[in-house]
Amino acid sequence: MTKSTESWGSRVGLVLAMAGNAVGFGNFLRFPVQAVQNGGGAFIIPYLVSFLLMGIPLLFIEWSSGRFGGKFGHHSTPFIMQSMDRRKLWKYVGVFGIFSNIAIAAYYCYIESWTISYIIHSVIGTFDGMSQHAVAAFFSDYLYISTTTTGIPYEALIFFVICIALNAWILSKGLSSGIEKVAMIGMPLLIIFGIFLAYKGITLKAGVHGAINDGTVGLNFLWTPDFSSLANPKVWLAAAGQIFFTLSVGMGSIQCYASYLKKREDVALNAMSAGWMNEFVEVVLGSAVIIPIGIGYLGIDKVVELTNIGGLGLGFRTMPYLFEQWGPVLSAVAGLAFFGLLFFAGITSSLAMGTPGMGFMMDEFKWSRPRSAWVFGFVVMILGLPTIFFFNEGVFDEYDYWAGTVSLVVFALLEAILFSWVFGLDKGWKEITEGADIKVPLVYRFIIKYITPVALILVFTGALLRPANDDWSKVSFGGWPLHNESILGQLQHKGAGPNNQWFSQSFYAEASGIVDSVYSTPGDKFFFRTSAVDNSGKVNNKVYQYTPVRHQLLIEKGDIVTTGQVVYIGKVINRVFYMDMARLLLLTIFLLISVLVYIAWRNRTNERRTGI
Amino acid sequence: MNTPALIMMISVEAVITYLTVWFFYKVLTIKPKPEPDSFSENDEEQR
């Protein structure tokens, strides 16, 4: 195999590209939500412990594995792993390192495309004068791709295609002329935008521009330690999970970037610099934007309620309305800064997702970089279409769960075992420290060999067997009810409730309550909503969509429905159908990449046999 | 802000900011290593 002549243009460029790979939407949208839901200030303790015991070791493992594989001309995980141990199994384990990047890019680019759209809408003043409800409804409408907010038909789809074309074009320019340039421009801008928004968030004053709280109230809420939460396994699992997602470990993109390093170039200092830069953006800037501003205008209870719909909802449904309180000019600047920040966070990550698959095709099938880049864009577009057309049917969430969550944990666990126990820590430690510009503490030998694999096994087992309501006291040898989002719970469609068939002639109520509204929205979409108050006094609403031409509604406003009661009849395709199809599609992609890896391996074997 | 929250926030953010700046400063200031000057040093490692 020929060696690649490509390399990084500068060390700073590499570190910023790696930091950009790690910094993503999660830094600003996921971290603060996780912190709020897991004990505020006390969350940071398990979070930092996870960073030291799992995050930094995985960074060392992935950077040094990548540079090691690069010596043999490999730029993707199947053959990087194969170069560390000759057993055939490893190259198929390495398939995760291409698969997860492609599958994540498919829905990640969709979110990235929202940021482009929202930058435009913020600048042209679309949100001026809108109520909070109208801004939230704007996002919901945007997700129904047949509606338009700019006059451009199918604009969500068009922005998605533009976003992918932009990614493919940058990738086609190469490492130093494409990815590195974007990182050199995007990362400083992202930090400047983040500092501006953090300043605005912290200096928010109650009574000014309609704020009901000072910005410090949000910080107080986020940072007040609740040490009792440290005894809760849920908090530790959430913290470990956040470290995973924020560092982009377990994906294969770090190995790919590092594989373009020269043999004696440092990995230890570079890994630390990129890793801590990500932490700075997440903890220092990420904690000072949406929570302080959100609590400043909406109060603690409302923000806690909104965190239950996740960071994406908070960012896109709520933030534009809050910025509007600052007046038309400043709101446009704040919208540009916030969605611009998210755009740069997104694109520096999605570019990293393109490189492993491209590296594989360039190494093994001798494709040119532009060809690899445009084919990557095309594949991501095709794979992303189901997440756009069937977003409300749960396809987006399926991609995120299986490719963006489970795959990462499985791959990280297996690569940690390969590095520490199969490749061997003596050789591994030599790879980490060779050419190092800092002294790596010896304690990391012990941590990488024992602590990190055990921590990863615990994270995986926790995700596999997570109990209902996160009540770990219920776990026993006699069995326990599973959480809907546990891996086993997902496989059993535990969250589907009574509508657990692919097709049906009846649709059943998924929650008890009173039907408080039956309504339609522009674009001929029809809904009804049930409402119920739980024991803690919290109001739980459930919204159902139906299609009058196909469905006959059996309830009307004011009716009381119970879970499992038929609410309409007619031809019904349930969410589980779309979810299973999404899983099947992801599995097919994984198998197709495995076949390509097999063909590449066979080609390599033939070349050796014929002396090429 | 209450005192425990303030202590927690300032201490965590100070440590993270210090380490971020320190590592990045090192990246900016450490001179690149010279290229290998012998054939043996330039040889690729055998698996």
Side-chain angles (χ1 to χ4, degrees):
Chain A
M1 289 288 140
T2 53
K3 304 284 169 63
S4 165
T5 53
E6 256 197 308
S7 62
W8 294 97
S10 68
R11 186 175 188 178
V12 178
L14 163 67
V15 169
L16 290 179
M18 280 283 197
N21 172 28
V23 173
F25 302 126
N27 291 59
F28 294 93
L29 302 177
R30 193 175 190 275
F31 170 77
V33 168
Q34 289 291 314
V36 165
Q37 291 177 342
N38 290 286
F43 176 75
I44 203 76
I45 295 171
Y47 173 83
L48 289 176
V49 169
S50 299
F51 180 59
L52 295 175
L53 300 183
M54 217 171 65
I56 289 177
L58 282 170
L59 287 175
F60 283 148
I61 289 172
E62 297 199 349
W63 274 78
S64 54
S65 302
R67 189 187 59 178
F68 179 80
K71 291 177 197 171
F72 306 105
H74 306 313
H75 302 96
S76 59
T77 48
F79 289 102
I80 288 176
M81 295 182 98
Q82 181 87 78
S83 68
M84 297 171 75
D85 183 66
R86 287 194 170 276
R87 270 165 278 210
K88 292 173 186 171
L89 165 79
W90 292 112
K91 62 179 172 291
Y92 298 109
V93 171
V95 169
F96 277 106
I98 297 176
F99 161 77
S100 53
N101 283 286
I102 292 174
I104 294 171
Y107 68 86
Y108 207 83
C109 285
Y110 188 36
I111 308 175
E112 203 175 304
S113 73
W114 302 348
T115 66
I116 298 174
S117 170
Y118 269 60
I119 288 171
I120 294 169
H121 284 299
S122 298
V123 171
I124 64 175
T126 304
F127 304 116
D128 289 353
M130 275 193 183
S131 67
Q132 190 187 347
H133 177 73
V135 171
F138 178 92
F139 183 62
S140 301
D141 286 346
Y142 186 83
L143 297 179
Y144 284 103
I145 57 156
S146 56
T147 54
T148 174
T149 57
T150 54
I152 304 169
Y154 293 97
E155 69 175 87
L157 188 60
I158 286 171
F159 278 118
F160 176 63
V161 174
I162 290 171
C163 183
I164 286 181
L166 182 64
N167 274 275
W169 179 71
I170 295 167
L171 284 167
S172 72
K173 296 290 171 191
L175 281 185
S176 56
S177 306
I179 297 168
E180 196 173 325
K181 272 189 182 164
V182 171
M184 295 281 269
I185 297 166
M187 284 304 290
L189 271 177
L190 181 152
I191 290 173
I192 290 168
F193 287 161
I195 290 172
F196 165 72
L197 290 166
Y199 171 77
K200 290 294 295 176
I202 295 167
T203 57
L204 211 61
K205 288 277 170 232
V208 179
H209 296 309
I212 57 172
N213 289 309
D214 287 352
T216 50
V217 173
L219 289 177
N220 201 49
F221 176 68
L222 196 62
W223 286 99
T224 299
D226 169 14
F227 290 108
S228 66
S229 67
L230 291 179
N232 186 348
K234 170 183 173 263
V235 176
W236 285 89
L237 284 174
Q242 180 60 26
I243 283 297
F244 246 99
F245 306 126
T246 190
L247 292 175
S248 295
V249 289
M251 285 179 69
S253 50
I254 292 177
Q255 290 93 322
C256 180
Y257 273 7
S259 69
Y260 293 97
L261 280 168
K262 294 189 180 76
K263 186 180 174 183
R264 287 178 185 80
E265 279 186 291
D266 163 274
V267 295
L269 174 60
N270 288 344
M272 284 296 90
S273 184
W276 282 100
M277 200 177 288
N278 175 70
E279 292 311 294
F280 173 79
V281 172
E282 178 150 296
V283 177
V284 179
L285 299 181
S287 67
V289 180
I290 65 171
I291 299 297
I293 297 175
I295 289 179
Y297 283 101
L298 304 173
I300 291 174
D301 291 342
K302 183 70 179 168
V303 168
V304 170
E305 185 188 326
L306 286 169
T307 59
N308 291 326
I309 58 170
L312 283 180
L314 199 56
F316 288 89
R317 288 181 198 275
T318 311
M319 294 309 284
Y321 166 73
L322 304 184
F323 295 147
E324 281 308 309
Q325 311 311 307
W326 298 344
V329 177
L330 204 50
S331 71
V333 175
L336 174 69
F338 183 66
F339 294 109
L341 165 158
L342 290 181
F343 171 72
F344 284 121
I347 197 163
T348 47
S349 300
S350 59
L351 290 173
M353 292 171 203
T355 49
M358 287 172 56
F360 176 74
M361 298 311 286
M362 288 157 63
D363 289 345
E364 307 301 330
F365 296 97
K366 306 289 173 270
W367 283 18
S368 67
R369 175 168 277 278
R371 183 183 181 192
S372 308
W374 289 105
V375 169
F376 165 76
F378 181 74
V379 170
V380 165
M381 188 184 74
I382 297 297
L383 200 56
L385 289 179
T387 69
I388 299 176
F389 285 104
F390 305 112
F391 182 89
N392 293 305
E393 283 77 14
V395 171
F396 182 101
D397 293 337
E398 286 300 302
Y399 277 45
D400 186 34
Y401 187 82
W402 295 106
T405 310
V406 177
S407 290
L408 308 192
V409 179
V410 172
F411 184 56
L413 172 59
L414 295 172
E415 71 176 351
I417 291 170
L418 170 67
F419 188 87
S420 306
W421 293 89
V422 182
F423 184 61
L425 193 62
D426 288 340
K427 282 164 77 180
W429 189 254
K430 185 169 164 283
E431 284 302 317
I432 292 169
T433 54
E434 185 169 17
D437 286 326
I438 52 169
K439 189 167 167 42
V440 184
L442 272 175
V443 68
Y444 269 102
R445 275 187 72 103
F446 177 78
I447 292 172
I448 290 172
K449 183 149 191 175
Y450 298 104
I451 306 287
T452 307
V454 169
L456 288 164
I457 289 170
L458 289 175
V459 169
F460 177 71
T461 312
L464 186 75
L465 305 171
R466 186 179 171 187
N469 304 317
D470 290 305
D471 185 358
W472 289 88
S473 64
K474 291 276 195 308
V475 174
S476 71
F477 287 109
W480 60 91
L482 288 167
H483 196 287
N484 290 347
E485 289 177 18
S486 65
I487 296 175
L488 289 178
Q490 285 279 327
L491 286 172
Q492 297 167 16
H493 287 306
K494 282 188 73 71
N499 298 301
N500 53 11
Q501 303 293 315
W502 280 6
F503 310 110
S504 174
Q505 290 300 317
S506 306
F507 187 85
Y508 306 95
E510 292 171 352
S512 299
I514 184 164
V515 180
D516 65 359
S517 53
V518 180
Y519 59 98
S520 63
T521 59
D524 285 341
K525 291 181 283 287
F526 294 83
F527 304 88
F528 62 92
R529 190 176 81 165
T530 61
S531 181
V533 181
D534 67 15
N535 295 335
S536 61
K538 189 179 157 197
V539 178
N540 294 311
N541 295 322
K542 182 86 190 165
V543 177
Y544 303 89
Q545 189 178 6
Y546 69 102
T547 311
V549 291
R550 289 210 312 263
H551 303 139
Q552 183 188 346
L553 208 54
L554 303 181
I555 47 97
E556 57 186 35
K557 188 177 175 185
D559 283 355
I560 293 174
V561 298
T562 53
T563 306
Q565 177 183 333
V566 178
V567 286
Y568 60 78
I569 54 173
K571 189 179 174 188
V572 177
I573 304 175
N574 284 313
R575 277 170 68 97
V576 288
F577 170 74
Y578 298 99
M579 290 162 78
D580 282 344
M581 289 303 110
R583 292 174 189 183
L584 197 60
L585 182 59
L586 292 174
L587 185 62
T588 306
I589 296 294
F590 189 93
L591 293 174
L592 282 175
I593 299 170
S594 302
V595 170
L596 287 176
V597 168
Y598 171 75
I599 294 169
W601 171 76
R602 203 186 54 188
N603 290 347
R604 281 171 173 270
T605 312
N606 290 342
E607 282 174 14
R608 270 201 293 273
R609 197 178 298 138
T610 55
I612 296 171
Chain B
M1 285 181 78
N2 64 49
T3 309
L6 202 58
I7 291 171
M8 179 71 91
M9 185 180 86
I10 289 174
S11 54
V12 168
E13 293 194 349
V15 168
I16 290 177
T17 306
Y18 173 77
L19 288 171
T20 304
V21 172
W22 190 78
F23 283 125
F24 195 58
Y25 174 75
K26 286 274 193 189
V27 165
L28 291 173
T29 54
I30 289 178
K31 289 193 169 60
K33 294 179 185 65
E35 287 293 311
D37 56 4
S38 76
F39 286 112
S40 61
E41 271 188 272
N42 215 10
D43 281 349
E44 291 301 336
E45 195 166 299
Q46 295 300 309
R47 270 181 280 182

